Amino acid sequence: MDQKNGSSLTGFILLGFSDRPQLERVLFVVLLIFYLLTLLGNTSIIALSRLDPHLQTPMYFFLSNLSFLDLCYTTSTVPQLLVHLRGADKSISFTGCVAQLFIALGLGCTECILLGVMAFDRYAAICRPLHYTVIMHPRLCALMASASWFTGFAYSSLQTVLIFLVPLCGKNKIEHFFCEVPPLLKLACVDTTVYESEILFFSMIFLFIPVALITFSYGQIIRAVLGIKSAAGQRKVFGTCGSHLTVVSLFYGTAIYAYLQPSNNHSQDQGKFISLFYTIVTPTVNPFIYTLRNKDVTGAMKKVFCWDYDSR
């Protein structure tokens, strides 16, 4: 069999959930609702952070970045999935698949770094409160956010090139609902051990820094919290840090499971639902996790809505 790389293909077929037509109808309704909630929740956080002066702090600056990232990440996959769930055509062009993989990987990698930066912000606020405004200077915040985006997409460029160098031998049916690394590697007609080793090596290096930063930051935060005598002070710290840790656990837990699952049909089905979780469920619940018990955000919402009501 001739070995051809992906560039010889005109497009791919995203099989997704096509073998379960009844499930497709249910998923369409559920995912549409989740997608609308994602747009509403994350857009609200971005708008409130811009409109309320009390929310123009490093914490909400990074949270706005995370919300914008979640909006982009969900939009890179879900609208196409909704179209495929309602129609017979499940195709995606070769260029579209490359772009989707590049964007999804870039946003996912950016989130890895951004969550580490947000952990450092909480460390500076709790462990270095007197120097917080000096440490988290607006220029440094902008630099760290920009570096997160740049590094994430630079890494994505490398990964995307490596993936599409793999010979596919004309195979174009992807056992997934969007172009992702594990299902694309399954199309290869050669031994992918070398490619998988390269990807694993770079991924471990890439993930080590944010994970190490998160571990260090929260290790120091725990020590600082144990030294707080006030129960109210401890609850406040656990409230803000608990939200971030929940988001970190959801993101890293589902992503690691999706990329380290065994190669068999059962795990492929599980992988699709896990991917659904971190592409649509996590971006939907993130705004609620951060704002559910956040008095600053709820206060800002009341001010905005009261202002709109009074202005009528």
Side-chain angles (χ1 to χ4, degrees):
M1 184 179 289
D2 295 334
Q3 292 184 2
K4 302 176 182 179
N5 60 22
S7 62
S8 64
L9 297 172
T10 58
F12 296 93
I13 305 297
L14 295 170
L15 297 178
F17 304 94
S18 56
D19 58 334
R20 302 174 184 179
Q22 292 185 344
L23 178 61
E24 284 188 321
R25 299 188 189 97
V26 176
L27 281 177
F28 177 82
V29 176
V30 173
L31 294 181
L32 179 59
I33 293 172
F34 269 85
Y35 183 55
L36 294 176
L37 288 174
T38 299
L39 296 179
L40 176 63
N42 287 288
T43 302
S44 298
I45 286 182
I46 296 172
L48 289 173
S49 299
R50 293 286 184 179
L51 294 174
D52 194 316
H54 296 290
L55 299 185
Q56 293 175 5
T57 62
M59 175 181 171
Y60 292 102
F61 170 74
F62 292 124
L63 184 56
S64 295
N65 271 263
L66 181 64
S67 294
F68 178 70
L69 187 153
D70 283 340
L71 282 174
C72 295
Y73 189 65
T74 304
T75 303
S76 70
T77 57
V78 174
Q80 181 193 56
L81 174 58
L82 291 173
V83 173
H84 285 178
L85 289 173
R86 293 296 294 167
D89 184 12
K90 315 289 186 183
S91 63
I92 182 173
S93 66
F94 175 79
T95 303
C97 187
V98 173
Q100 189 177 64
L101 178 66
F102 171 72
I103 293 171
L105 269 178
L107 293 171
C109 295
T110 300
E111 184 162 353
C112 285
I113 303 173
L114 192 60
L115 290 174
V117 172
M118 293 174 73
F120 177 76
D121 171 66
R122 292 298 82 207
Y123 158 75
I126 295 168
C127 301
R128 299 289 185 271
L130 298 179
H131 303 91
Y132 178 67
T133 56
V134 177
I135 297 173
M136 302 304 293
H137 191 275
R139 290 183 181 178
L140 179 60
C141 293
L143 179 62
M144 289 193 294
S146 300
S148 299
W149 286 88
F150 176 79
T151 306
F153 278 93
Y155 177 77
S156 177
S157 301
L158 174 63
Q159 291 279 44
T160 303
V161 170
L162 286 176
I163 290 298
F164 284 99
L165 285 176
V166 178
L168 304 181
C169 304
K171 297 179 181 179
N172 71 335
K173 293 184 178 180
I174 301 175
E175 191 64 49
H176 214 285
F177 61 85
F178 76 103
C179 293
E180 197 176 22
V181 174
L184 279 169
L185 284 178
K186 287 182 173 66
L187 298 182
C189 55
V190 296
D191 184 7
T192 59
T193 303
V194 175
Y195 293 97
E196 292 175 357
S197 298
E198 290 175 349
I199 291 171
L200 180 62
F201 174 74
F202 288 117
S203 298
M204 290 181 67
I205 294 177
F206 185 85
L207 289 173
F208 174 77
I209 296 177
V211 169
L213 183 58
I214 291 171
T215 303
F216 168 79
S217 297
Y218 278 101
Q220 296 298 311
I221 288 171
I222 290 173
R223 290 180 58 186
V225 170
L226 293 177
I228 298 177
K229 297 181 179 179
S230 168
Q234 290 182 342
R235 284 196 298 269
K236 184 177 180 180
V237 172
F238 280 125
T240 56
C241 295
S243 300
H244 182 253
L245 278 176
T246 302
V247 172
V248 167
S249 300
L250 287 173
F251 177 78
Y252 278 101
T254 53
I256 289 173
Y257 178 85
Y259 277 79
L260 296 182
Q261 61 181 314
S263 300
N264 54 62
N265 293 331
H266 181 64
S267 65
Q268 282 183 1
D269 291 338
Q270 284 186 338
K272 293 176 188 179
F273 289 101
I274 291 296
S275 295
L276 277 178
F277 192 87
Y278 67 76
T279 56
I280 183 65
V281 177
T282 301
T284 302
V285 300
N286 279 355
F288 297 99
I289 291 174
Y290 277 109
T291 62
L292 191 60
R293 298 178 64 184
N294 191 314
K295 294 181 179 179
D296 293 333
V297 176
T298 53
M301 292 178 66
K302 290 178 182 178
K303 288 180 183 178
V304 171
F305 288 127
C306 288
W307 183 85
D308 285 341
Y309 181 79
D310 293 339
S311 63
R312 293 179 181 179

